[in-house]
Amino acid sequence: MKISMSVNGKPVSAEVETRTLLVTYIRDNLRLTGTHVGCDTGQCGACTIHMNGQAVKSCNILALQAEGADILTIEGLAKADGTLHPMQEAFREHHGLQCGFCTPGMVMSAVDLVNKHPNPSEETIRAELDGNLCRCTGYHNIVKAVKAASAKM
Amino acid sequence: MHAFNYQHPKSVADAAAALSKGGDAKLLAGGQSLVAAMKLRLAAPTDLIDLSGIKELAGIKVEGAGITIGAMTRHAEVARSEEVRAKIPALAGLAGGIGDRMVRNMGTLGGSLAHNDPVADYPAAVLGLNATVNTNKRKIAADDFFKGMFETALQTGEIIVSVSFPVPKRAAYIKFRNPASRYAIVGVLAAETGSGVRVAVTGAASSVFRVAAMEKALAAKWSPDAVAGISVPSAGLNSDMHASAEYRAHLVTVMARRAVEAAK
């Protein structure tokens, strides 16, 4: 079937099998490989993107469910001139990543978190990030990064 | 995932027509359980009928002494709705504790109820608050809706349109959650409603159930102590690597006591 959507501000369309997952479309068709597939079972959050402004797990959504949607992936977060988004900058500044595998999903989830909870407490950050797993267990600095970014967003 | 035909109807009538065309057609709501099951080939529908394009299925309306929530309303919308938070905070809190924030942005009330996962949260709200499930064919009382593990009273071609929740005098939902899946190992919703006290338990058995002995005790006196000494038999309760049947039986009493305390 034909699908059309906007990804990082650009209109895209393609002919896909109905069973194509959104994350497969993003990674394999669009070659935007910043969105990661971690567990592939909707648990780990590495595949988190924004669909119409809401953080969602793209490995648990069909590409067809995103028909007509505005999709934002990690590649679309920084400005065109390369200036990092405050959340990305905070992750860099506070060493909020170790191996980096969970980072794109963690950042996308955290941006949605701060959009919904401006100036969140540490408790809120920890509770609201529980859909993103970091197997380096580097949560402490991730929480610090989100807190710091919330002051600049 | 096996291949399937995909349809995107714009009305409930069109969706119902597509459902009745034969084959193993399934409705797709948010897909947070169904897409996951299809990836594991635990489900392999021939046709998928996506309800997301049907506007009449989404939204929250205050109606008379209750709140009616459209079947396609996402958990996150229920959790942050001013109306739900003001009138039935227990329901907003329950919705805000389902899965994680990404799941809540996609998952829907109708999808959760039609799926009737034994460890899902929403069945406790519907049964405990004495809600009514409105379908394209009829109104189904909560006591008649849940039939067993992944089984409901929904018939072939029947689609949940909305759920009407009467505003309770007081209610609270407390769950002991599985830290990995965030599903309820045991969740209890205790409520004093216009039609009496109700205690609904999810996670513990093959389907959500009420505890008559606790309801009777709470009707006599709404106090945590009233349920502290009442336990459910462990025979027939779920038992798995996370919790034995005996432990779940114990948790039912503890969660009920905390729910009553929280609903003061």
Side-chain angles (χ1 to χ4, degrees):
Chain A
M1 286 183 78
K2 188 171 186 231
I3 51 168
S4 305
M5 64 189 82
S6 161
V7 176
N8 300 333
K10 292 188 196 119
V12 293
S13 65
E15 193 69 33
V16 298
E17 275 194 83
T18 55
R19 58 183 165 178
T20 307
L21 293 170
L22 181 55
V23 73
T24 310
Y25 177 65
I26 290 170
R27 286 179 55 86
D28 295 1
N29 290 57
L30 302 177
R31 307 302 295 167
L32 294 170
T33 54
T35 302
H36 290 168
V37 179
C39 66
D40 200 21
T41 57
Q43 314 263 334
C44 81
C47 66
T48 300
I49 55 140
H50 292 190
M51 183 159 92
N52 297 325
Q54 311 289 326
V56 295
K57 292 178 172 175
S58 62
C59 86
N60 215 16
I61 296 173
L62 299 171
L64 284 160
Q65 288 178 275
E67 170 65 31
D70 280 326
I71 301 293
L72 181 68
T73 72
I74 189 74
E75 289 90 346
L77 210 52
K79 286 189 186 154
D81 67 2
T83 309
L84 294 179
H85 183 278
M87 189 63 71
Q88 293 172 304
E89 185 59 40
F91 268 65
R92 194 182 68 83
E93 176 72 23
H94 294 273
H95 196 56
L97 59 151
Q98 291 176 40
C99 85
F101 192 86
C102 73
T103 310
M106 202 62 89
V107 168
M108 297 308 286
S109 183
V111 170
D112 183 51
L113 186 170
V114 176
N115 286 342
K116 306 249 170 70
H117 303 271
N119 196 21
S121 66
E122 181 184 331
E123 192 188 2
T124 299
I125 294 169
R126 288 186 183 274
E128 294 290 318
L129 273 185
D130 74 349
N132 294 84
L133 304 182
C134 166
R135 289 302 73 178
C136 304
T137 69
Y139 296 107
H140 193 65
N141 285 353
I142 291 170
V143 173
K144 271 205 270 182
V146 176
K147 182 81 185 148
S150 69
K152 295 180 180 169
M153 276 173 66
Chain B
M1 195 186 301
H2 289 292
F4 54 86
N5 300 309
Y6 174 87
Q7 294 172 70
H8 201 226
K10 296 287 177 225
S11 72
V12 174
D14 287 352
L19 251 188
S20 63
K21 281 218 177 97
D24 182 17
K26 279 217 185 298
L27 298 172
L28 175 66
Q32 298 303 282
S33 296
L34 181 55
V35 172
M38 288 170 67
K39 284 164 68 177
L40 295 167
R41 297 189 176 178
L42 294 172
T46 55
D47 295 79
L48 215 48
I49 302 158
D50 187 345
L51 300 176
S52 65
I54 306 175
K55 291 200 174 66
E56 64 194 90
L57 290 180
I60 298 168
K61 275 179 266 176
V62 177
E63 289 180 337
I67 296 180
T68 296
I69 302 177
M72 283 296 289
T73 310
R74 317 281 168 175
H75 307 326
E77 294 170 63
V78 175
R80 65 171 173 259
S81 157
E82 296 291 333
E83 290 96 342
V84 180
R85 287 161 65 111
K87 290 186 180 291
I88 320 180
L91 180 60
L94 177 145
I98 297 173
D100 55 55
R101 59 186 296 102
M102 288 79 91
V103 168
R104 292 193 291 274
N105 280 337
M106 279 303 285
T108 69
L109 170 60
S112 172
L113 296 180
H115 189 48
N116 194 21
D117 193 309
V119 293
D121 297 293
Y122 262 135
V126 169
L127 189 63
L129 295 170
N130 197 20
T132 302
V133 180
N134 308 307
T135 77
N136 58 332
K137 295 183 175 171
R138 59 191 166 135
K139 294 178 186 302
I140 308 174
D143 285 318
D144 301 326
F145 184 79
F146 303 101
K147 293 293 185 191
M149 188 181 282
F150 300 112
E151 260 188 65
T152 68
L154 292 169
Q155 297 162 352
T156 308
E158 192 164 20
I159 300 171
I160 301 174
V161 173
S162 64
V163 180
S164 299
F165 292 91
V167 174
K169 288 175 190 151
R170 51 185 159 186
Y173 176 69
I174 302 284
K175 79 165 156 174
F176 192 87
R177 64 174 214 167
N178 179 322
S181 72
R182 299 120 196 163
Y183 276 117
I185 288 177
V186 168
V188 175
L189 192 137
E192 187 179 0
T193 74
S195 51
V197 171
R198 297 172 75 97
V199 176
V201 179
T202 189
S206 57
S207 183
V208 65
F209 65 92
R210 291 170 63 187
V211 185
M214 289 185 179
E215 293 177 356
K216 200 176 159 200
L218 289 170
K221 186 180 181 227
W222 185 274
S223 144
D225 294 340
V227 294
I230 301 173
S231 55
V232 298
S234 62
L237 294 191
N238 300 335
S239 185
D240 55 29
M241 64 183 284
H242 306 295
S244 65
E246 291 74 22
Y247 185 49
R248 278 190 166 86
H250 170 75
L251 284 176
V252 169
T253 302
V254 176
M255 294 301 113
R257 200 181 68 217
R258 290 182 190 171
V260 172
E261 175 81 31
K264 259 184 180 170

